[in-house]
């Protein structure tokens, strides 16, 4: 059979991703990626430490990141993302910037981290008051609160799960329940679902429709920021960061709440 008419595979642009050794959501990352982009993932070496501030420090050591980026150099990505929230906020704002610089030196391409992408996304959304959901222990959660506060963002509410392992197994229903608790009071301008090992893709539209504020997650902001560096856009239906929802104008010229889209019925079921 003559297949010459196919012309070969489409040209691809590469995004290198450095993930912690226990990262289990490769498939979720791909859901935000358009067809012309390929993800090239590598992982940090295994260490026998549970999710904690100690682990965050170990998996974000500059030499560890540099080794991972040098591994990715073989496939020549155009940008490199460090996909770990706690590992990129544990050293504060200055520590996050130093990590990006270390990765860029190792790969000679633009580099970013999940926590840096979070601040970039909040700025894009104009959100200075944020509610937080984390799967972490209290000490790791407090470190995240300190990180966003250092960047001038006010934490309006927080809910955490206290987990030290198997975060990728958390069901969507638990994520939704924690989000409702964190956003209680209604003063947040956005809600952040932390940890790249926490499944979030399918709950973002549901929570935005219910809470009427933008909802961003660790994996979402990582892919959004990486693809932005390439001059392209992440894909994902009914997600305010990706498809900006304009404010609804009132008759008097003021602004009311955002005109959030109505979800299809099948996406509204099963979350109550």
């Amino acid at each position: 059979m003559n297949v010459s008419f196919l012309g070969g595979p489409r040209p691809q642009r590469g995004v290198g991703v450095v993930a912690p050794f226990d990262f289990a959501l490769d498939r979720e990352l791909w859901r935000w990626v358009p067809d012309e982009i390929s993800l090239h993932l590598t992982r940090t070496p295994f260490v026998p430490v549970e999710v904690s501030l100690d682990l965050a420090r170990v998996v974000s050591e500059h030499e560890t990141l540099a080794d991972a980026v040098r591994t990715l150099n073989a496939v020549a990505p155009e940008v490199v993302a460090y996909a770990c929230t706690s590992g990129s906020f544990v050293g504060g704002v200055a520590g996050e910037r130093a990590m990006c610089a270390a990765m860029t030196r190792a790969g000679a391409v633009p580099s970013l981290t999940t926590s840096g992408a979070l601040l970039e996304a909040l700025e894009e959304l104009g959100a200075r008051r944020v509610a937080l959901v984390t799967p972490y222990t209290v000490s790791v959660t407090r470190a995240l609160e300190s990180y966003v506060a250092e960047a001038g963002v006010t934490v309006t509410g927080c809910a955490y799960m206290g987990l030290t392992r198997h975060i990728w197994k958390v069901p969507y229903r638990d994520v939704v329940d924690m989000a409702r608790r964190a956003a209680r009071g209604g003063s947040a301008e956005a809600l952040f679902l932390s940890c790249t090992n926490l499944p979030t893709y399918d709950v973002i539209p549901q929570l935005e429709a219910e809470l009427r504020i933008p909802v961003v997650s660790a994996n979402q902001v990582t892919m959004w920021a990486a693809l932005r560096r390439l001059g392209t856009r992440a894909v994902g239906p009914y997600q305010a960061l990706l498809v900006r929802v304009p404010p609804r104008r009132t008759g008097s010229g003021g602004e009311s709440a955002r005109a959030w889209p109505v979800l299809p019925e099948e996406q509204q079921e099963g979350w109550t």
Side-chain angles (χ1 to χ4, degrees):
M1 181 176 65
N2 184 0
V3 295
S4 60
F5 68 92
L6 294 176
R10 294 178 58 185
Q12 293 285 295
R13 305 179 70 187
V15 173
V17 179
V18 178
F21 63 87
D22 64 342
F23 181 70
L25 298 181
D26 303 55
R27 183 179 292 274
E28 176 162 290
L29 289 183
W30 279 97
R31 298 180 74 180
W32 279 289
V33 177
D35 290 343
E36 69 274 12
I37 304 296
S38 285
L39 299 182
H40 308 301
L41 279 86
T42 189
R43 283 168 169 76
T44 61
F46 170 77
V47 290
V49 180
E50 294 183 329
V51 176
S52 61
L53 289 175
D54 287 339
L55 179 61
R57 295 185 184 101
V58 169
V59 298
S60 61
E61 292 176 347
H62 289 189
E63 190 54 40
T64 297
L65 297 179
D67 287 344
V69 172
R70 282 190 284 267
T71 299
L72 290 169
N73 285 346
V75 291
E78 295 181 47
V79 63
V80 172
Y82 177 51
C84 179
T85 322
S86 61
S88 53
F89 67 61
V90 69
V93 171
E96 189 277 332
R97 291 172 181 164
M99 292 172 62
C100 290
M103 291 190 293
T104 296
R105 285 194 300 272
V109 295
S111 301
L112 62 102
T113 74
T114 298
S115 293
L118 165 63
L119 299 184
E120 190 177 330
L122 293 178
E123 182 177 357
E124 173 73 10
L125 293 166
R128 307 308 296 169
R129 299 173 59 82
V130 64
L132 303 176
V133 171
T134 90
Y136 313 131
T137 61
V138 62
S139 60
V140 182
T141 301
R142 295 294 175 258
L144 173 58
E145 291 179 325
S146 297
Y147 173 80
V148 297
E150 184 184 355
V153 177
T154 300
V155 176
T156 62
C158 184
Y160 63 93
M161 302 178 190
L163 301 179
T164 59
R165 60 177 64 192
H166 297 164
I167 291 171
W168 67 88
K169 295 181 180 180
V170 174
Y172 278 156
R173 186 177 298 277
D174 289 356
V175 176
V176 171
D177 288 344
M178 297 294 283
R180 288 168 175 161
R181 189 184 312 173
R184 190 176 298 155
S187 62
E189 297 170 337
L191 182 140
F192 175 54
L193 306 173
S194 189
C195 190
T196 54
N197 235 356
L198 186 70
T200 61
Y201 185 92
D202 295 303
V203 301
I204 292 173
Q206 160 68 23
L207 287 172
E208 290 190 338
E210 178 179 329
L211 302 176
R212 294 297 192 270
I213 56 175
V215 174
V216 294
S217 76
N219 283 327
Q220 180 208 46
V221 298
T222 304
M223 290 295 96
W224 169 80
L227 293 168
R228 199 184 199 198
R229 302 294 192 279
L230 300 186
T232 188
R233 300 178 63 177
V235 296
Y238 305 107
Q239 298 179 29
L241 180 62
L242 311 186
V243 181
R244 297 299 302 278
V245 180
R248 184 191 298 117
R249 297 284 177 176
T250 64
S252 61
E255 292 184 358
S256 64
R258 289 172 179 263
W260 297 97
V262 178
L263 297 181
E265 288 186 5
E266 62 270 18
Q267 288 186 253
Q268 300 181 42
E269 298 176 354
W271 302 105
T272 57

